[in-house]
Each structure stands twice: as structure tokens, then as C-alpha cells.
Amino acid sequence: MRRTVLIAGLLFAVAFASVASAATIRAGVAVSLKEAMEEVAKGYESKTGDRVEFAFGSSGQVMAQIKGGAPVDLFISAADKQVDELIAAGLADADTRRVVAGNTLVLIVPRDSKDAIDSFDALGKVAVKRLAIGEPKTVPAGQYAQQVLKKLRLTAALSGRVVYGANVRQALDYVIRGEVTAGVVYATDAKQAGADKVNVVAEAPKGSHDPIVYPAVVVKKSRQADAAKRFLDHLASDDARQVLKKHGFTEPRPTATQPAADKP
Amino acid sequence: MSDLWQPLWLSLRIAAVATVLTAVLATPLAYAMARRRFPGRSLLEGFILLPLVLPPTVVGYILIVAFGKGGWFTRLLPEPWDYSIVFRLEGAVLAALVVALPMLYMPAKAAFGSVDRDLEDAARIEGANRLQLFFRVSVPLARRGLVSGLLLAFARALGEFGATMMVFGWQPDNVTLPISIYKAWEEPNLPAAAPAVVALSVISLGLVLAYNVTLARSRD
């Protein structure tokens, strides 16, 4: 009897040990990366056994949660601003910072839109009832959109007609539901929604906004810093890049603060 | 969000319109429900009181599905009229109305229920018709309950947030007081929300105190 208990105990300990060695990382990620990241994580888990759990939201929301002490190991933002803030607050490890993807900004309209909107400039000429963008202070997509509107001198014409989404997907949803005339979102969001829901009208003109980058950084208080770094390295791998490309993301561009992820 | 005036004025206007509509709808409804028994009465009352317990997100969801673009009711409108309550003042008023209605309905029904039937019968004998009876006898006799209910309804309408957030959304420089507070918190910039928090608290406290005073007086 005692021997049985001993063996059972040993087996249990071994089983527990092997489960314990597989890490679970919590990643706070900009919501535009949702489907792509989930797919990358699935492949990563079957390859390494490490699990990645996600919390998605606007980059500003996720950053605020991390600032508030949320247990996040890895942060992936859709703009430099939120990562800069986290590093400045001493909450993120600047040495681990690396850009994992890029994106393009597009103007979209509801699928059955009857308005003659064929370009960003048309927003200043056609009667636009409402334009949906992400809220510029906390949503990078909104920040980029605001830059475009400013550059194209459309701010005055659209004054009082802009509505904010709490994140870029909410702006997208407003367009899908037809509650707004048009919206500015990432090309990947439009692709995710599908041509049966929204029409992509135009890409933002070159130079009309800051380059769209997705910087990732490991959170300092993380208890899974090594596992987080491993996943971050994986994001630079061919497998991960293929998935990102499939979802419509572009190659990470160098930014002022960090060169693009090294090609393996 | 250092501007307090725009959100305050907007919230007051929405709450005022919603309360007036609540009075118009809930008073006759409470009167009828206090007096008659008819099949389905309990179920109807259940629907009136539902917003009291439903999470605001459900209220917002239903409003959008019913009155948003292509909603159950909005799709019935004639073709060129492509209407939706989303982002519109009507939407905010409707959200406030739905949650304020039970706040007037309950005290109003109780008040009408406790009006001395003898007085009403006397008025009938004197030749008062239904309308005269309602406006010149029943309502004045029930006024304490009605006033206290109106105060509560206004307070509730002023504080409406969840459903309003979903229906009215976030329009720069066109936010309600509760929405302005939430958005300041999200930035995060909590200190910016302080004036709005103080304003809302002071006004709501005043309304609740007035409600208490009205009720206390009615016990004389």
C-alpha cells in the first residue's frame, strides 16, 4: 500500500513538473492584431508547449491597464507612443523593444453605401454625415487618422461630424453597421471584416501620417520574462511573419527608436 | 476634458426631455394599472420595471437592435428615410427615458392606489368625466407621490451611462456628463474628471434630498 502511494506520488510530481515547465505568458496586444496573434500563438503552443493568453484592447487601454498593475508579461502596441510611455514610467524593459509588424491606413465605407466617396479628399467635398475614427489620444489608429485629416486639411470640413471608437474595431463596427458614412481603420481590419461588410475606398496618401509600427516590449514586473522574450523572438521568425503577412500586415519598418526586427 | 459646461448642459437637457416624456407616459399608465385588472397586466408591468434590473449593456443592445440602422422599427420607415438613433440626441433621450420610467411609475402607481376612492366617487357624482377626474381630482391628490417620482426619474435620467454610451457613443465635444467622466478615466486623466464628478454628485444629492423631503411631507 505504501509503495503504491509512493509511486502515485512520484508520478503526480513528474506530471506536475512537466506541466509546470510549460510557461503561460499573458500578452496585452493592440486589438488590430487579434486574429493574427491568436493564430501565431496556436502554432507557437504546438511547437513549444508555451501558452500565450491574450488581453486585447486599444493600445492606450492596454497600456493603462499595465500602468494600473495588470499582470501582463508582453505588450504589443500599434504605435510608439504607448511603449514610450511605459518605458518612461519604468514599467517596460527598453532592451527588449522590437517592432514586430507594420500596417496601412485605409478609408472604408459600408458595403451598400450610396455616397460618392472615392478618396480621402472626397470627405471634404461630399456630404459626410459622420466619420468614425479611433479616439486619437488612446487609439493609435485614431492618432494616425487624425494626422491624415490634418495633413489633407479636412479637419475644419469634418468638424462636429467625427465620432470616436474606443478602439479601431469599434470604428470598424460603426461602418459595418452603417451607422456612419465612412471610417478610417487599418487595411487588416477591413480585410478581417471582409468585402461583404465594408468597401475599401482608398489608402492614406504617402506621408500623410507617421509610419504605422507595432513595437513590442517585455513588461518589467513580469514573472515570465524569459518566456515572454522567447515568444517575442518567435514573432520575428518566418512562421510568424507568414501568418502576419497572410492577415495583411506589412513588414516591420525601422522607427526612430528601434530598427526593424532582424531577419533570421 | 476641462470643459464642464458642455457635458453638464447636454446631460441636463437630455434628462429634462426624458423626464417630461416619462411624466407624459408613466402617469396615465400608472393610473390605469392602479385601477384595472386585465389579462397580461403583470407581464406589462414586468416590462415597465425591467430596466430597473437589466444591465445597462442589455438596455443599450436592445435599443440599438430595435432603433439602430436597419433595426426592427427603423427598417419599417419609408425608403429614403434611413434613420437610426445611434449618435443622435433622440437616442440619448430614449436611453434615459427607458431607465427613468420605472422610477416614476412605481411611486405614481402607489400614489394613485392610495387616493381616497370616496373623493373620486364624489367627483363622479358631481358629473366629472374621466379626463376631468384624472387631471383635477386624482393627479392633485396623488401629487406628492408624483413629484417624488419625478425627482427620482430626473436623477436617474441624469446619471444614465451604460446604455447611453452604447447608443450615443463618443462624440468629441458632444459628451454627456457621465461619459465625460469615464473618458477622462480611460485616458487616463482622472483629475480632469473631478469637476464633473462633483457636479453630478451635488446635483444628484440635491435631488435625492428633495425626494426625501417630498415623501416626508406626504406623511402629514
Side-chain angles (χ1 to χ4, degrees):
Chain A
M1 182 58 202
R2 241 206 227 151
R3 206 183 351 160
T4 323
V5 172
L6 190 60
I7 291 173
L10 278 172
L11 283 173
F12 182 77
V14 168
F16 186 74
S18 60
V19 163
S21 70
T24 299
I25 318 159
R26 282 190 58 89
V29 178
V31 71
S32 47
L33 277 168
K34 182 165 189 285
E35 292 78 8
M37 274 297 147
E38 282 172 338
E39 197 179 320
V40 170
K42 227 166 129 196
Y44 186 68
E45 184 176 349
S46 42
K47 216 173 81 161
T48 67
D50 283 356
R51 280 188 62 227
V52 186
E53 282 173 4
F54 292 102
F56 295 108
S58 77
S59 306
Q61 275 170 344
V62 178
M63 179 204 69
Q65 283 170 8
I66 296 173
K67 268 189 172 176
V72 172
D73 304 303
L74 183 69
F75 175 47
I76 308 180
S77 171
D80 284 323
K81 175 175 148 179
Q82 285 77 15
V83 171
D84 291 339
E85 236 184 276
L86 225 47
I87 290 176
L91 294 170
D93 188 353
D95 293 332
T96 59
R97 180 187 194 143
R98 137 208 272 168
V99 176
V100 299
N103 213 333
T104 15
L105 203 67
V106 295
L107 180 65
I108 58 172
V109 294
R111 185 200 41 166
D112 50 7
S113 157
K114 298 187 191 85
D115 302 294
I117 297 178
D118 57 356
S119 65
F120 274 90
D121 287 312
L123 293 173
K125 301 179 192 144
V126 171
V128 173
K129 261 174 88 191
R130 271 182 210 102
L131 178 75
I133 67 173
E135 194 275 320
K137 285 205 200 116
T138 54
V139 183
Q143 174 196 328
Y144 299 127
Q146 198 178 54
Q147 288 169 356
V148 174
L149 294 181
K150 224 167 153 195
K151 191 71 188 265
L152 300 179
R153 298 184 203 280
L154 294 166
T155 318
L158 292 167
S159 164
R161 294 182 217 264
V162 177
V163 296
Y164 290 157
N167 56 58
V168 70
R169 289 294 172 89
Q170 189 174 57
L172 174 70
D173 193 50
Y174 283 144
V175 178
I176 291 175
R177 281 159 44 196
E179 300 286 5
V180 295
T181 320
V184 180
V185 300
Y186 297 122
T188 51
D189 298 312
K191 187 172 178 163
Q192 183 64 37
D196 59 334
K197 300 253 178 66
V198 297
N199 281 337
V200 177
V201 162
E203 242 181 61
K206 245 189 151 97
S208 57
H209 59 84
D210 291 341
I212 301 173
V213 289
Y214 287 83
V217 77
V218 174
V219 175
K220 268 199 181 155
K221 286 208 198 118
S222 162
R223 289 197 200 152
Q224 298 282 15
D226 291 326
K229 285 193 197 120
R230 288 200 300 271
F231 183 66
L232 186 46
D233 288 335
H234 175 76
L235 290 177
S237 72
D238 275 340
D239 287 342
R241 286 185 169 192
Q242 282 289 64
V243 174
L244 288 167
K245 190 167 169 192
K246 185 179 92 179
H247 285 262
F249 290 90
T250 60
E251 287 296 314
R253 274 188 249 188
T255 66
T257 37
Q258 182 79 19
D262 297 322
K263 295 208 188 299
Chain B
M1 212 112 335
S2 49
D3 175 25
L4 176 63
W5 179 242
Q6 180 274 304
L8 178 59
W9 181 227
L10 179 64
S11 282
L12 286 173
R13 271 157 53 213
I14 291 170
V17 175
T19 307
V20 167
L21 290 173
T22 297
V24 167
L25 287 170
T27 318
L29 195 56
Y31 185 69
M33 298 287 260
R35 269 158 167 54
R36 293 161 200 262
R37 296 203 137 61
F38 52 87
R41 187 179 95 138
S42 292
L43 190 61
L44 176 58
E45 185 154 280
F47 279 113
I48 296 170
L49 297 178
L50 204 50
L52 274 181
V53 295
L54 270 184
T57 43
V58 176
V59 175
Y61 182 89
I62 293 175
L63 285 176
I64 291 174
V65 166
F67 301 103
K69 235 357 167 284
W72 298 334
F73 296 104
T74 39
R75 70 157 67 110
L76 299 173
L77 291 166
E79 197 31 43
W81 207 0
D82 199 11
Y83 181 73
S84 162
I85 62 167
V86 174
F87 300 128
R88 297 186 70 104
L89 206 55
E90 306 90 272
V93 169
L94 190 54
L97 168 64
V98 163
V99 298
L101 198 87
M103 302 302 253
L104 173 58
Y105 172 83
M106 288 192 304
K109 183 170 163 233
F112 283 129
S114 64
V115 161
D116 194 340
R117 289 303 204 113
D118 291 341
L119 293 172
E120 292 190 325
D121 291 339
R124 286 294 218 116
I125 290 168
E126 296 292 326
N129 62 33
R130 286 244 191 92
L131 226 58
Q132 286 171 323
L133 183 65
F134 178 72
F135 280 107
R136 305 181 97 211
V137 179
S138 311
V139 166
L141 284 172
R143 72 183 178 284
R144 287 267 149 75
L146 294 178
V147 169
S148 66
L150 280 173
L151 289 166
L152 265 191
F154 185 79
R156 183 66 187 91
L158 196 62
E160 210 323 280
F161 169 66
T164 310
M165 186 73 215
M166 289 174 74
V167 171
F168 194 64
W170 187 2
Q171 306 170 41
D173 302 319
N174 190 25
V175 291
T176 66
L177 211 49
I179 290 178
S180 75
I181 296 168
Y182 181 73
K183 287 313 175 182
W185 168 79
E186 255 204 340
E187 240 184 78
N189 184 5
L190 272 177
V197 169
V198 169
L200 208 45
S201 306
V202 165
I203 297 172
S204 300
L205 185 62
L207 289 165
V208 169
L209 287 175
Y211 162 81
N212 262 350
V213 163
T214 314
L215 266 193
R217 285 230 211 103
S218 72
R219 287 188 203 115
D220 298 337

